[in-house]
Amino acid sequence: METPDLSNIETNQLPQSLQALIECIGLQNAYRLTSAFGGRPKYIPKHRDRTKLADVLPPQALDALIERFAGLALEIPKADHFQRQLRNQQIQKESADGLSRSLLADKYGLSLRQIGNIRRQDCHAR
């Protein structure tokens, strides 16, 4: 699975449950986990050989997840929390490059108001 560049993700803007996952297994691994299992509960077993999580996470991340959440059905947040930030960053970049609100709205399937709000977020983030 191709992982996008997550270096500009503002983790403090993500839901608390996702922040806890990132703290436990790291940003890239949290992205992989949400992409594979997001939006539904996933049982965290006590042993790594009893789960499909090993197909998604490297051994050290899986061990950290098991150590912290073993025996629980963990509600995995959806990956769209990441996708939204990545999309908004791309909109801000393209806006700075001169693309109009109208073009951006068409390209991303958003309203002019949503594009305006995303462009304003950039001003407040600095």
Side-chain angles (χ1 to χ4, degrees), residues 26-60:
L27 187 60
Q28 300 284 335
N29 291 322
Y31 178 82
R32 284 189 198 101
L33 190 62
T34 60
S35 294
F37 302 108
R40 53 193 193 270
K42 186 72 181 156
Y43 178 74
I44 310 301
K46 293 183 168 101
H47 303 285
R48 103 161 61 142
D49 55 338
R50 296 184 184 165
T51 180
K52 294 264 187 232
L53 291 169
D55 297 342
V56 177
L57 298 174
Q60 72 276 15

Side-chain angles (χ1 to χ4, degrees), residues 85-111:
Q85 268 198 44
L86 293 168
R87 179 205 64 199
N88 291 356
Q89 290 167 5
Q90 189 62 33
I91 289 170
Q92 289 166 348
K93 178 189 176 306
E94 291 175 7
S95 178
D97 290 345
L99 262 64
S100 71
R101 275 191 338 167
S102 180
L103 277 172
L104 291 168
D106 288 346
K107 180 176 179 179
Y108 292 97
L110 299 172
S111 70

